Amino acid sequence: MVEDGGHDAAIDSLSTEEWLSCALRLVPSSLEKAKEAKGFRGKWKMIILKLEQMPSRLSDLASHPCFSKNVLCKEQLQAFSRTLNEAIRLAGLCVKEKYEGKLQMQSDLDALLGKLDLHLRDCGLLTKTGVLGEVTLPSAVAKTSAEPEVGIHSNIRELLARLQIGHLEAKQKALDNLLEVMKEDDKHVLAVLGRSNVAALVQLLAATSPRIREKTVTIICLLVESGSCENWLVSEGVLPPLIRLVESGSAAGKERATISLQRLSTSMETARSIVGHGGVQPLIDICRTGDSVSQAAAACTLRNISAVPEVRQALADDGIVKVMIDLLESGTLLGSKEYAAECLQNLTSSNENLRRSVISEGGVRSLLAYLDGPLPQESAVGALKNLVGSISMDVLITTGLLPRLVRVLKSGSLGTQQAAASAICRICSSTEMKRLVGESGCIPLLIKMLEAKLNNAREAAAQAISSLMSDSQNCREVKKDDKSVPNLVALLDPSPQNTAKKYAVSCLLLLSSCKKCKKLMISYGAIGYLKKLTEMEIPDAKKLLERLERGTLKSLFSRK
């Protein structure tokens, strides 16, 4: 037997062809011994079947163009030879019936079967899937000036191939080496990564070894964060094992699996699949009990999922509303609170039942408290905007919504100010409410907002002012502001990009009863704009134009 003679150095010095000859000699010997074995006939029959497949697999391997150029072939043949020697040894013990115990021998034969299965599978993988061709570095290429990078890529291909063949310990070593390469510079790995490599990584997520699962999910997390391979990962079935890791993995495994799902869930199709694979409840559990990083990643994933309208009720059925409100109040990281507010905004955007659920769970109070932070967030204002139509006027006033909206208009980002202006439009459903909003001091802030760079923000401000001006007191407040007329006239611009023009016309029409305001409108060029808007059939543009032109004619006659 090969391993009974010579030293390790002598064994290592054998060429790939010599190892092939050795394996081919051992196959008939092992078959002969296996057929003579006594006892465990069922086991030996299965072993014989495996051994009979060996010659054809070895022939396939030997006939591959890259056979003698690749170290993986030599390693496979060495492993074959060790296993064949083991078969001969165990068969000899069974022939003589000299083994320590039946249970031990049964265990040894099971292990032998496992090794033979692995060798046959690995040999087929090497010869039929193109792994050898991918891994082998052609000598012609090695001589070029790009040798260092080509060599690096070849080494990485070999590491990736080792993820698909061999026993778990060998795969774990390959994972360790691959992880080191990726942490140093992942661009080389991404340059050579193929779909079969991604499939191998996904399979390792279900390995029996917790360490292998943890290292694999670390690599997958790095791949996902690099923005590569998301489609391959999902199509190769990465979601179910990631969800299992979120549910029952180690602390590090849970964190990396959750971060991976966070990135993958940005695709609406993948977000639906996460729900379909039962991923919502494990993510909700992480929000309840996970560490700060995992909690933020889970909250972000659920935020992404909540953007899919048809799954919102399913999220609510799993208890997401209460969890997001709790996060809003006590989330460890600011990011967790922001994701919770965004999730509540999505949930309440189109479903009245979910709005009532958020209100009954105390969501309004939590969102208002969140607004009291140093930087009011657009998502919280947006969620409140969705909810105000389902809340009575008395509650809106007693909870202190109006002072918060004024604060947002004063110091919030432009997006947050836009959400606040939209919320004001929603709450102005009665004359009394319009008066209270006007008295809160928001009108000058909305007039200033008409100068915003973003069209959507200007439109929201103009719409809010238009709504408020139906109250006479608010109308007088707008008249008093020196910037109101020039800012509103500027919004008469007939370009298609300007969506605020109809609200500007409405506001200016209400101001046109004031002579001073009419003169200002004319001086800022309103008539020219209105002629174009009249042609475009913008509501009330013709009416406002006629009023201004009458005023112009009267002034001409008075001069004469």
Side-chain angles (χ1 to χ4, degrees):
M1 294 190 295
V2 171
E3 294 192 38
D4 289 342
H7 297 289
D8 290 342
I11 292 172
D12 288 339
S13 67
L14 294 176
S15 67
T16 307
E17 288 79 3
E18 287 170 326
W19 276 109
L20 175 64
S21 299
C22 176
L24 288 171
R25 285 196 305 271
L26 286 169
V27 171
S29 300
S30 59
L31 264 172
E32 183 182 345
K33 287 286 186 182
K35 291 173 182 177
E36 294 173 359
K38 298 174 183 177
F40 308 100
R41 291 314 303 163
K43 299 284 184 192
W44 281 110
K45 276 185 181 179
M46 288 190 283
I47 290 168
I48 288 166
L49 285 173
K50 304 293 180 190
L51 290 171
E52 287 174 343
Q53 296 175 50
M54 285 284 187
S56 63
R57 294 298 174 90
L58 290 171
S59 175
D60 290 342
L61 191 64
S63 61
H64 195 282
C66 301
F67 170 69
S68 59
K69 304 172 188 174
N70 196 286
V71 69
L72 293 178
C73 292
K74 185 175 180 179
E75 288 178 5
Q76 279 298 303
L77 292 169
Q78 288 172 335
F80 272 9
S81 299
R82 285 193 295 271
T83 301
L84 291 170
N85 279 322
E86 177 70 1
I88 292 169
R89 184 184 72 80
L90 291 176
L93 291 175
C94 286
V95 167
K96 297 175 182 177
E97 295 185 334
K98 290 184 177 179
Y99 42 81
E100 294 179 5
K102 285 189 175 182
L103 289 177
Q104 180 60 54
M105 178 54 70
Q106 188 166 316
S107 175
D108 290 343
L109 293 177
D110 285 338
L112 176 62
L113 267 170
K115 289 178 185 177
L116 290 170
D117 267 333
L118 182 65
H119 295 327
L120 291 169
R121 187 192 71 83
D122 288 351
C123 194
L125 189 75
L126 286 172
T127 55
K128 294 175 183 177
T129 63
V131 168
L132 280 180
E134 291 172 1
V135 172
T136 305
L137 178 65
S139 56
V141 175
K143 294 175 183 177
T144 68
S145 59
E147 181 182 351
E149 187 165 305
V150 173
I152 290 168
H153 287 181
S154 181
N155 290 336
I156 292 170
R157 286 191 180 96
E158 184 179 315
L159 284 178
L160 292 168
R162 291 182 186 281
L163 298 179
Q164 301 176 63
I165 61 174
H167 50 76
L168 283 179
E169 288 181 11
K171 289 177 179 177
Q172 182 170 308
K173 186 177 179 182
L175 284 169
D176 288 336
N177 293 333
L178 184 61
L179 198 51
E180 283 182 24
V181 173
M182 289 196 72
K183 285 179 177 177
E184 186 176 327
D185 188 353
D186 64 1
K187 70 178 182 181
H188 291 301
V189 176
L190 297 174
V192 300
L193 193 72
R195 183 162 184 162
S196 62
N197 309 130
V198 171
L201 283 167
V202 171
Q203 288 172 11
L204 287 174
L205 280 178
T208 54
S209 164
R211 283 196 66 198
I212 286 182
R213 292 198 300 269
E214 190 171 308
K215 289 177 187 295
T216 304
V217 77
T218 302
I219 290 173
I220 285 175
C221 188
L222 291 171
L223 289 175
V224 170
E225 287 184 319
S226 73
S228 304
C229 318
E230 288 100 330
N231 291 336
W232 280 352
L233 284 164
V234 173
S235 62
E236 291 297 336
V238 78
L239 296 180
L242 283 178
I243 290 167
R244 284 196 294 274
L245 279 172
V246 171
E247 198 168 17
S248 57
S250 65
K254 284 184 177 185
E255 179 182 305
R256 286 154 195 160
T258 308
I259 292 170
S260 299
L261 288 174
Q262 174 187 347
R263 178 63 186 249
L264 292 170
S265 63
T266 55
S267 156
M268 291 187 78
E269 186 177 343
T270 303
R272 288 188 192 95
S273 296
I274 291 171
V275 177
H277 287 297
V280 172
Q281 195 59 59
L283 289 165
I284 284 177
D285 291 340
I286 291 287
C287 287
R288 288 193 182 111
T289 60
D291 63 75
S292 57
V293 175
S294 297
Q295 190 182 72
C300 184
T301 307
L302 290 167
R303 185 277 311 268
N304 293 341
I305 294 171
S306 70
V308 183
E310 63 266 30
V311 305
R312 287 171 187 159
Q313 189 58 54
L315 292 174
D317 293 342
D318 280 335
I320 195 172
V321 170
K322 182 69 167 67
V323 169
M324 289 299 123
I325 291 171
D326 289 344
L327 264 186
L328 202 57
E329 293 177 350
S330 57
T332 310
L333 299 177
L334 278 177
S336 299
K337 295 187 175 189
E338 185 176 346
Y339 297 138
E342 289 172 350
C343 187
L344 291 172
Q345 181 182 13
N346 289 337
L347 292 171
T348 56
S349 62
S350 59
N351 188 314
E352 183 60 29
N353 288 333
L354 291 180
R355 291 186 193 121
R356 290 196 199 100
S357 178
V358 172
I359 293 166
S360 66
E361 292 285 0
V364 174
R365 177 180 53 78
S366 299
L367 287 163
L368 289 170
Y370 180 52
L371 278 185
D372 291 336
L375 289 173
Q377 296 295 326
E378 179 180 346
S379 52
V381 183
L384 286 166
K385 177 196 74 174
N386 295 337
L387 294 171
V388 291
S390 305
I391 305 170
S392 70
M393 187 177 74
D394 290 342
V395 173
L396 288 175
I397 294 166
T398 56
T399 53
L401 174 64
L402 293 181
R404 264 97 168 200
L405 291 178
V406 171
R407 176 173 175 261
V408 168
L409 290 173
K410 280 181 180 176
S411 58
S413 67
L414 189 54
T416 313
Q417 289 176 0
Q418 180 183 327
S422 298
I424 287 169
C425 292
R426 292 271 180 98
I427 62 177
C428 288
S429 56
S430 68
T431 304
E432 185 181 356
M433 199 64 192
K434 289 176 183 179
R435 181 179 56 79
L436 289 170
V437 171
E439 290 173 354
S440 70
C442 70
I443 288 176
L445 300 170
L446 289 168
I447 290 170
K448 183 180 179 183
M449 194 174 155
L450 296 174
E451 303 170 5
K453 291 182 179 179
L454 293 179
N455 172 65
N456 289 343
R458 295 193 298 269
E459 180 185 8
Q463 186 179 2
I465 294 168
S466 174
S467 177
L468 289 167
M469 284 182 69
S470 61
D471 175 74
S472 58
Q473 186 175 320
N474 292 336
C475 194
R476 285 194 294 273
E477 185 75 20
V478 174
K479 285 178 187 176
K480 284 193 294 184
D481 195 302
D482 292 339
K483 290 186 175 180
S484 61
V485 171
N487 286 354
L488 287 165
V489 170
L491 292 185
L492 296 176
D493 180 358
S495 68
Q497 292 78 20
N498 174 28
T499 54
K501 44 186 173 278
K502 64 179 179 180
Y503 301 115
V505 170
S506 172
C507 294
L508 290 169
L509 189 61
L510 290 168
L511 294 173
S512 64
S513 59
C514 168
K515 288 183 180 180
K516 178 185 175 184
C517 290
K518 270 204 296 189
K519 286 181 180 179
L520 281 171
M521 291 178 210
I522 294 165
S523 66
Y524 279 102
I527 289 175
Y529 283 136
L530 288 167
K531 285 179 180 178
K532 292 179 182 177
L533 295 184
T534 300
E535 292 172 6
M536 296 166 64
E537 298 184 348
I538 299 298
D540 291 328
K542 185 177 181 181
K543 186 176 180 180
L544 179 58
L545 176 63
E546 289 171 352
R547 283 193 186 181
L548 296 185
E549 285 181 331
R550 278 201 302 269
T552 306
L553 288 170
K554 283 181 183 178
S555 65
L556 285 172
F557 287 130
S558 65
R559 286 193 200 116
K560 291 180 179 180

